[in-house]
Amino acid sequence: MNNFDFHNPTHILFGKGRIADLDARVPADAKVLILYGGGSAERTGVLAQVRAALTGRKLIEFGGIEPNPRFATALKAVELIRDNGITFLLAVGGGSVIDATKFIAAAVRHDGDPWEILTSQGAVVADAMPFGTVLTLPATGSEMNPGSVITNAEKGAKLAFLSPHCYPAFSILDPEVTYSLPPRQISNGVADAFVHVIEQYLTYPVAAPVQDGFAETLLRTLIDLGPKALATPQDYDTRAALMWTATQALNGLIGAGVPQDWSSHMIGHEITALNDTDHARTLAVVLPALMNDQREAKRAKLLQYARNVWDIREGSEEERIDAAIAATRGFFESLGIKTRLGDYAVGTPEIDIIVSALSDHGLTALGEHRSIAPSDARRILEAAL
Amino acid sequence: MNNFDFHNPTHILFGKGRIADLDARVPADAKVLILYGGGSAERTGVLAQVRAALTGRKLIEFGGIEPNPRFATALKAVELIRDNGITFLLAVGGGSVIDATKFIAAAVRHDGDPWEILTSQGAVVADAMPFGTVLTLPATGSEMNPGSVITNAEKGAKLAFLSPHCYPAFSILDPEVTYSLPPRQISNGVADAFVHVIEQYLTYPVAAPVQDGFAETLLRTLIDLGPKALATPQDYDTRAALMWTATQALNGLIGAGVPQDWSSHMIGHEITALNDTDHARTLAVVLPALMNDQREAKRAKLLQYARNVWDIREGSEEERIDAAIAATRGFFESLGIKTRLGDYAVGTPEIDIIVSALSDHGLTALGEHRSIAPSDARRILEAAL
């Protein structure tokens, strides 16, 4: 096991009816900005629950945060906060709303140009406003981690930052608020969480049986519950386990002390940047091709994955790896997610653009061995056509 | 899954050489009290590493904390802290030293009689001094939880308390410092961690696949690594995984949202109170008898335990449960831990005393169903003779 630090101070309030606990969590004298995305938080009644729980506090609302949250939108919130003496932020939504809130919380307390927060990957963040979250979509894990991804449309850039100041003070996870999610968001969330686990697991062994076993638990749970969550949207047990799985998939625990990959994410981001394909769908396209391409570097872990996640015990090593990759692809397809670039209008000319973009963004040494160059990404993408 | 809160703010610093990080963790102007137990922390060089890392700070030391830490001893430390204007506590040791430090940290800031901290189970704790730990023994999980058990010899009482103010600010887990531990402490630590997991897992199903899968990972890891840790004491990978397993076994994660038992602990405490048998050994005696006795109430989870932890897939339900109980007993015995009361000089007359003590201490409704009365404990103990 590699040396590591683990420190996750977010307070999780999990279960039915927990939005009412906002009253105890948000300071009584706080002036609160409630941040949300499109109309669903209003339509589903979540915002009404939030307002009811915060009765007596001064509330201002800021809606319209985009699915890939925009830098310019965040800056409008920063101005609103400064103009109104807001003292506490509450994100009500999924990963995009929470990511935007983290950036806003840091930007309000940052003296220089807020763009530096992103270009420094969070290094310049010395402080952030306190904020909590009410999660409505199990997927990104942003509710219990210090990371955020922001898109700057003018600059054509999608940049991430991390700061220990940007853990939510608390996150409320009520599985019932996910009942009304569209199937596409559920399937995307399951695939996103699945690949989050894979990025921290499918590398090479470092004698970390706790992290490996936890990761395998999360993968098996997603495989079991993903289709059930689509088939029976109002099944509390399924939605509850799914919600907790997605949180555990990216809260630092399974990634502590082990190598990490993240090349599927880096390549996938460029596909989204090109044609706005859903993030999770880009992962479902890249991952199977990448697993096959990197089978030598990942051999030991691919065999462990085949056995412990898919219960594949028969056949030669190559056959077991092939079967595990086919099972992975089949899992995404069973969620209604296509796994070929052609399904998303990406052909050979678009691959040229994606590969160039990786170079342009300095992403020239990806993966747990920093060995995947843009030329390797081209080979992987061509295999995904 | 049941509703739950999860909030664990302890910062873990894990790996080789991490004691040097104390310099960055302990405030530069702190006046530090270093707390430790017997002579081993000095003998093994851990205290020397700690002193070197804290060079420049005012250090006072307080040794002699007992294996079952005493109330009277803790009060001496409280006096020393007040007399010397100590501002930070550092526990260097295993669960006993850390438990004592938690109590001391709370007692220093408590206005009334410190005994109230224990009789209120921590409810009166409104604040505590900041403290960190350097863990030397993987076993109790105290390094990443807010609980503590203190013995009052005069009153013949061993009482636990919990307080959210009593999480360590940080804990340093360097697996290399465990190389020199006596085999008895390693085997006790493995058994203790194993039963910590069992108390939170072997109850009844509540559709919590993440918690179940994490618990099963920890159990399988202990089964695999316990004997290896005894056979090859200086194997870093083994000691590292064991250390992280014991921490995860009792940091709130696997117990979040699920029923908990703790009857083996409650009954075992009375055996220790009677004749000072090692805590872990009392658990290894009580647990197999309790599993057999409670097979109806625990049937579904016993079958899941048999399959997922011991890979027992053949035979009738009764046969699989029998095999899982036999495997559990065999595991403890393989660590050199005897599993019959007779091995610890406990016979029928002593069972009378233990059963009376349970009644006297109000422990009349134990287990996840609060259904184990002292008369049931008698039956379990008689089966363990």
Side-chain angles (χ1 to χ4, degrees), chain B residues 83-381:
Chain B
D83 289 350
N84 290 277
I86 296 290
T87 61
F88 196 91
L89 308 182
L90 183 67
V92 179
S96 298
V97 173
I98 300 172
D99 280 14
T101 301
K102 288 175 182 174
F103 176 73
I104 293 160
V108 169
R109 297 272 173 97
H110 182 65
D111 280 338
D113 178 357
W115 185 240
E116 294 169 359
I117 293 171
L118 293 161
T119 53
S120 74
Q121 298 180 305
V124 301
V125 176
D127 194 12
M129 284 187 67
F131 67 97
T133 90
V134 175
L135 182 67
T136 60
L137 173 60
T140 73
S142 190
E143 66 276 10
M144 200 183 181
N145 71 42
S148 163
V149 182
I150 300 292
T151 296
N152 187 324
E154 290 165 34
K155 294 186 197 275
K158 186 172 177 177
L159 296 180
F161 84 99
L162 281 168
S163 167
H165 302 287
C166 290
Y167 282 95
F170 64 81
S171 284
I172 292 177
L173 279 59
D174 179 346
E176 291 188 321
V177 309
T178 75
Y179 287 173
S180 56
L181 284 168
R184 182 186 186 100
Q185 292 202 15
I186 288 289
S187 62
N188 282 352
V190 170
D192 194 23
F194 191 91
V195 184
H196 285 164
V197 180
I198 289 282
E199 299 279 26
Q200 301 166 84
Y201 165 75
L202 201 72
T203 58
Y204 54 89
V206 293
V210 174
Q211 295 88 326
D212 282 1
F214 284 11
E216 290 160 357
T217 293
L218 299 176
L219 294 172
R220 287 193 304 262
T221 302
L222 290 165
I223 290 163
D224 181 42
L225 297 185
K228 287 182 192 167
L230 291 170
T232 52
Q234 310 227 345
D235 180 73
Y236 183 81
D237 287 344
T238 298
R239 290 294 171 105
L242 190 61
M243 203 168 206
W244 193 222
T245 300
T247 300
Q248 292 297 323
L250 197 54
N251 69 355
L253 184 61
I254 63 167
V258 299
Q260 303 196 15
D261 180 347
W262 297 103
S263 55
S264 293
H265 270 74
M266 295 301 111
I267 299 169
H269 281 167
E270 301 299 350
I271 302 174
T272 299
L274 180 73
N275 70 6
D276 227 26
T277 299
D278 294 357
H279 169 61
R281 287 163 196 248
T282 69
L283 303 174
V285 167
V286 176
L287 178 65
L290 185 130
M291 287 165 121
N292 191 51
D293 188 86
Q294 296 292 306
R295 70 165 65 203
E296 288 317 318
K298 293 182 182 292
R299 174 169 297 267
K301 272 299 187 72
L302 278 165
L303 290 165
Q304 181 180 332
Y305 170 68
R307 185 181 61 249
N308 293 349
V309 175
W310 294 105
D311 204 24
I312 295 166
R313 291 158 190 260
E314 306 288 319
S316 68
E317 287 195 358
E318 301 313 322
E319 286 167 346
R320 280 177 276 151
I321 292 171
D322 287 343
I325 297 170
T328 307
R329 187 184 295 282
F331 170 60
F332 293 136
E333 299 272 356
S334 79
L335 299 172
I337 297 178
K338 300 289 188 187
T339 60
R340 293 288 179 185
L341 282 174
D343 299 317
Y344 303 97
V346 174
T348 305
E350 287 78 17
I351 288 179
D352 289 342
I353 300 170
I354 295 165
V355 171
S356 295
L358 285 169
S359 288
D360 292 349
H361 296 153
L363 302 169
T364 55
L366 301 177
E368 65 272 21
H369 296 290
R370 306 290 169 259
S371 64
I372 299 177
S375 58
D376 302 297
R378 174 185 297 281
R379 188 178 63 244
I380 290 163
L381 288 163

Side-chain angles (χ1 to χ4, degrees), chain A residues 211-250:
Chain A
Q211 294 90 324
D212 282 1
F214 284 12
E216 289 159 359
T217 293
L218 300 177
L219 295 172
R220 287 192 305 262
T221 302
L222 290 165
I223 291 164
D224 182 40
L225 297 185
K228 288 182 190 167
L230 291 170
T232 53
Q234 309 227 346
D235 181 73
Y236 183 82
D237 287 345
T238 297
R239 290 294 170 106
L242 190 61
M243 203 167 206
W244 194 223
T245 300
T247 300
Q248 292 297 324
L250 197 53

Side-chain angles (χ1 to χ4, degrees), chain B residues 57-78:
Chain B
R57 290 169 186 80
K58 192 124 188 176
L59 304 180
I60 300 183
E61 299 186 5
F62 182 87
I65 294 173
E66 307 84 358
N68 290 301
R70 300 298 176 94
F71 181 69
T73 306
L75 293 190
K76 286 181 196 156
V78 170

Side-chain angles (χ1 to χ4, degrees), chain A residues 88 115 161 197 315 360-361 363-364:
Chain A
F88 195 92
W115 184 240
F161 83 98
V197 179
D360 292 348
H361 297 153
L363 302 170
T364 54

